[in-house]
Amino acid sequence: EDVTLIWETHIDPGVRCNMWHIRGRDRDLLVDTGFGVAPLRKSVALLTEKEVLCVASHSHFDHVGAHDEFEHRIMHGAEAHIMEAPTRANTLADNYVDWPIFNALPYAGFDPKTYNVRPAAPTQLVDEGDLLDLGDRTFRVLHFPGHSPGGIGLFEDATGLFFSGDQIYDGDLFADGYERADEEYIESMEKLKELPVTTCHGGHYGSVTGARMVELADEYIAGQRKPGCPADG
């Protein structure tokens, strides 16, 4: 399906994100860019072949760390201010980035306690229903608040492929701490259950079928997919 999974080595598998590259005829699509503790484009030749539309599924540190390496940066407007002036607090790096999640140094002198996302203001804001055209395939933007205010997924109507970011994946799921976050997350779960998904490529862990995705959504709605719940996978 011309879809390639990219990930960063030497980072705990439960923390590092899935970066998804989709090859198009006229331009390529990249969903998320990881921690950015080492150069991404220089490390992955696939990202230098043609123009790349770099999409942020949301602004948490593990998904936008290398966004500054790309000319075309796309995200929802609700989190644009975070990428304009990222901090360890507003990207959630304060909560997770410390020595235990690394098993090798990305470069001499690296200190995870001083890690921060580099500013990379979006060059294009998107919202529900906007289309990203690669020339021979098109992805529809869907807004899923809850995990974060501006979380988005990309759905290809022609194939049923769904790139969900951290809205849903086969692991612990959590709502950000803003007002109405948990309520909005449940509403988003109900919404994505209506999508005719064939394969869901999430922001973490392995890809799942559309049927499995619905099961995961139902489990979250029932309170069984939050961190610390006995039913968590």
Side-chain angles (χ1 to χ4, degrees), residues 14-93:
V15 181
R16 72 185 183 202
C17 91
N18 294 331
M19 296 172 270
W20 296 102
H21 177 272
I22 303 97
R23 189 189 301 274
R25 185 191 65 208
D26 300 337
R27 60 196 62 85
D28 292 346
L29 190 65
L30 176 65
V31 182
D32 294 333
T33 60
F35 279 60
V37 291
L40 178 58
R41 295 194 78 178
K42 291 181 180 179
S43 304
V44 184
L46 190 66
L47 300 176
T48 63
E49 293 179 356
K50 60 174 68 126
E51 178 184 46
V52 175
L53 304 181
C54 180
V55 178
S57 66
H58 60 299
S59 62
H60 291 168
F61 70 95
D62 50 327
H63 294 261
V64 294
H67 262 54
D68 63 316
E69 298 181 27
F70 296 88
E71 179 182 358
H72 304 288
R73 300 183 295 270
I74 300 169
M75 73 183 308
H76 193 276
E79 296 180 38
H81 65 287
I82 294 176
M83 290 307 297
E84 292 169 359
T87 67
R88 284 179 59 90
N90 66 17
T91 64
L92 302 193

Side-chain angles (χ1 to χ4, degrees), residues 1 11 16 55 57 90 105 120 132 152-153 155 205 220-221:
E1 298 166 327
I11 295 176
R16 72 185 183 202
V55 178
S57 66
N90 66 17
L105 291 176
L132 300 180
I152 58 173
F155 184 69
Y205 306 109
Y220 182 87
I221 293 168

Side-chain angles (χ1 to χ4, degrees), residues 57-140:
S57 66
H58 60 299
S59 62
H60 291 168
F61 70 95
D62 50 327
H63 294 261
V64 294
H67 262 54
D68 63 316
E69 298 181 27
F70 296 88
E71 179 182 358
H72 304 288
R73 300 183 295 270
I74 300 169
M75 73 183 308
H76 193 276
E79 296 180 38
H81 65 287
I82 294 176
M83 290 307 297
E84 292 169 359
T87 67
R88 284 179 59 90
N90 66 17
T91 64
L92 302 193
D94 265 344
N95 297 351
Y96 297 95
V97 184
D98 209 339
W99 288 113
I101 67 172
F102 297 94
N103 58 37
L105 291 176
Y107 53 85
F110 172 74
D111 183 356
K113 295 181 182 298
T114 62
Y115 164 85
N116 194 23
V117 172
R118 297 178 293 272
T123 60
Q124 179 182 347
L125 300 180
V126 292
D127 204 345
E128 182 79 15
D130 288 345
L131 300 177
L132 300 180
D133 183 7
L134 306 186
D136 57 344
R137 57 195 311 180
T138 303
F139 290 86
R140 178 160 51 100

Side-chain angles (χ1 to χ4, degrees), residues 174-189:
F174 69 91
D176 209 339
Y178 67 93
E179 186 177 0
R180 289 195 70 242
D182 192 57
E183 180 182 344
E184 287 189 340
Y185 206 172
I186 291 175
E187 292 171 356
S188 291
M189 289 292 184

